[in-house]
């Protein structure tokens, strides 16, 4: 029994949900795929797949085993990449997770360029604002905003956004324009809360040379960046947002109005993060370099304008 080939076959059946499609992808007879799965199940003494006339699904044991198999196969690929990386183009599958707004507005529009450069790489792009356990979920790297405090992770800084305090014209017309952070007690904010802890992230301002935080009351709070911007446009409160490309367009169009400019908030850093104990394979390395190149161009745009 070739355990490695059996594991590869199981992973492909699980990915495609079909014995026949897996056989076609692996260029094997259907009977060979069935034989490999049966040998693997006999070796483990468990049922990995439940088969019906229409589809194949993973059992509970199959789900748990698949996570281990995918991690092992990825590590084998990484070993090969490390030794063969100088003689061949990066190839294989990478799992990446990015903030939902960044996925829609930054990564996804530029990803075709990356795949043209590296046609042998397959990208599974997760777009979430929730915390991701990279090791447990088999994610190769994530892009996240804010400082990274976990010592088990390596964080490569890819740049930082300036942050602007702003509001919609409709909000300012109704509540007035504050001319100092000390005047904010009569105002309300759209608050952003952490997907991990549920805690509201306070506004911050540089006051008399010191960074000070202020927690404002809110009628609505959210943990989604796009929803946060939409609520700001609807005049639901003051907002503090990174000066991303979309925000710069809104400011230029007058959809949002910058306020309290002399008391700038602290900048918002962005990081590419991966597990400390994981050697970067060639495919992950080129994705990381590409992402840093992509964000560098974005961060340079306000400086050129």
């Amino acid at each position: 029994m070739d355990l490695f080939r059996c594991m590869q076959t199981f992973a492909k059946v699980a990915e495609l949900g079909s014995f026949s499609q897996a056989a076609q992808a692996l260029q094997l007879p259907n009977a060979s795929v069935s034989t490999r799965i049966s040998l693997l199940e006999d070796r483990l003494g468990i049922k990995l797949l439940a088969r019906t006339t229409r589809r194949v699904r993973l059992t509970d044991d199959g789900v748990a085993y698949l996570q281990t198999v995918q991690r092992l196969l990825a590590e084998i690929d990484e070993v090969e990449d490390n030794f063969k990386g100088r003689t061949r183009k990066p190839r294989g599958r990478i799992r990446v997770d990015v903030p939902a707004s960044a996925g829609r507005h930054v990564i996804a529009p530029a990803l075709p360029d990356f795949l043209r450069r590296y046609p042998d790489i397959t990208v599974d792009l997760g777009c979430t604002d929730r915390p991701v356990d990279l090791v447990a979920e088999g994610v190769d790297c994530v892009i996240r905003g804010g400082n990274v405090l976990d010592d088990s992770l390596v964080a490569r800084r890819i740049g930082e956004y300036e942050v602007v305090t702003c509001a919609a014209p409709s909000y300012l017309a109704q509540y007035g324009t504050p001319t100092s952070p000390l005047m904010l007690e009569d105002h309300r904010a759209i608050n952003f809360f952490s997907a991990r802890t549920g805690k509201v992230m306070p506004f911050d301002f540089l006051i008399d040379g010191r960074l000070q935080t202020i927690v404002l009351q809110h009628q609505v709070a959210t943990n989604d960046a796009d929803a946060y911007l939409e609520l700001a446009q609807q005049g639901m409160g003051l907002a503090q947002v990174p000066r991303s490309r979309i925000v710069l367009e809104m400011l230029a169009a007058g959809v949002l109005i910058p306020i309290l400019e002399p008391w700038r908030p602290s900048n918002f850093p962005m990081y590419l993060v991966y597990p400390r104990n994981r050697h970067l394979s060639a495919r992950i390395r080129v994705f990381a370099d590409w992402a840093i190149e992509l964000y560098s161009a974005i961060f340079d745009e306000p400086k050129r304008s």
Side-chain angles (χ1 to χ4, degrees), residues 1-9 36 39-40 43:
M1 172 186 176
D2 187 334
L3 180 59
F4 174 68
R5 298 300 177 195
C6 289
M7 292 168 64
Q8 279 186 320
T9 303
R36 288 184 180 183
L39 288 171
L40 192 57
R43 178 187 175 94

Side-chain angles (χ1 to χ4, degrees), residues 5 14 38 44 51 65 90 100 126 134 174 187 189 193 199 208 212-214 225 234 244 248 254 261 275 278 301 304:
R5 298 300 177 195
S38 296
L44 296 170
R51 303 155 205 166
Y65 186 65
L134 280 77
Q174 182 174 358
H187 286 267
F193 61 89
K199 292 183 179 179
D208 296 330
Q212 299 186 34
T213 61
I214 299 176
Q234 296 301 321
S244 64
L248 289 172
E261 288 285 82
R278 180 174 297 173
E301 282 182 1
R304 293 193 297 265

Side-chain angles (χ1 to χ4, degrees), residues 215-226:
V215 178
L216 298 177
Q217 297 300 312
H218 67 264
Q219 188 174 20
V220 61
T222 182
N223 65 353
D224 179 84
D226 284 341

Side-chain angles (χ1 to χ4, degrees), residues 167-238:
S170 59
Y171 175 88
L172 298 176
Q174 182 174 358
Y175 295 98
T177 302
T179 56
S180 164
L182 302 179
M183 297 176 59
L184 292 179
E185 61 182 15
D186 295 327
H187 286 267
R188 68 184 186 191
I190 306 156
N191 278 326
F192 197 94
F193 61 89
S194 166
R196 181 173 61 86
T197 66
K199 292 183 179 179
V200 166
M201 299 178 183
F203 282 34
D204 63 44
F205 300 93
L206 192 63
I207 304 175
D208 296 330
R210 296 177 57 191
L211 195 65
Q212 299 186 34
T213 61
I214 299 176
V215 178
L216 298 177
Q217 297 300 312
H218 67 264
Q219 188 174 20
V220 61
T222 182
N223 65 353
D224 179 84
D226 284 341
Y228 188 83
L229 279 178
E230 180 61 31
L231 291 166
Q233 291 182 76
Q234 296 301 321
M236 297 303 298
L238 304 179

Side-chain angles (χ1 to χ4, degrees), residues 17 25 56 65 95 97-98 113 125 132 186 188 198 264 297:
V56 176
Y65 186 65
R95 292 192 61 193
D97 197 272
V98 303
D113 169 64
L125 179 64
V132 172
D186 295 327
R188 68 184 186 191
R264 289 287 183 89

Side-chain angles (χ1 to χ4, degrees), residues 87-206:
T87 59
R88 71 180 184 194
K89 292 182 179 180
R91 64 177 180 83
R93 171 175 173 262
I94 56 175
R95 292 192 61 193
V96 181
D97 197 272
V98 303
S101 181
R104 284 189 286 269
H105 303 300
V106 179
I107 302 297
L111 198 58
D113 169 64
F114 174 78
L115 296 175
R116 279 191 293 269
R117 294 191 203 180
Y118 305 103
D120 296 325
I121 292 179
T122 300
V123 178
D124 291 352
L125 179 64
C127 299
T128 64
D129 290 314
R130 67 174 179 83
V132 172
D133 187 327
L134 280 77
V135 175
E137 298 182 41
V139 176
D140 294 302
C141 63
V142 300
I143 294 175
R144 286 293 183 266
N147 292 318
V148 178
L149 304 177
D150 190 337
D151 290 338
S152 69
L153 301 174
V154 176
R156 290 180 61 182
R157 192 182 184 95
I158 59 179
E160 61 183 25
Y161 287 108
E162 290 184 350
V163 177
V164 59
T165 307
C166 58
S170 59
Y171 175 88
L172 298 176
Q174 182 174 358
Y175 295 98
T177 302
T179 56
S180 164
L182 302 179
M183 297 176 59
L184 292 179
E185 61 182 15
D186 295 327
H187 286 267
R188 68 184 186 191
I190 306 156
N191 278 326
F192 197 94
F193 61 89
S194 166
R196 181 173 61 86
T197 66
K199 292 183 179 179
V200 166
M201 299 178 183
F203 282 34
D204 63 44
F205 300 93
L206 192 63

Side-chain angles (χ1 to χ4, degrees), residues 10 13 22 29 37 39 45 57 65 82 92 114 127 166 171 173 200 202 218 247 249 276 293 295:
F10 166 67
V13 172
I37 298 301
L39 288 171
R57 66 174 181 83
Y65 186 65
N82 287 336
F114 174 78
C127 299
C166 58
Y171 175 88
V200 166
H218 67 264
V247 170
E249 291 173 356
R276 183 173 296 279
E293 175 187 324
Y295 271 92

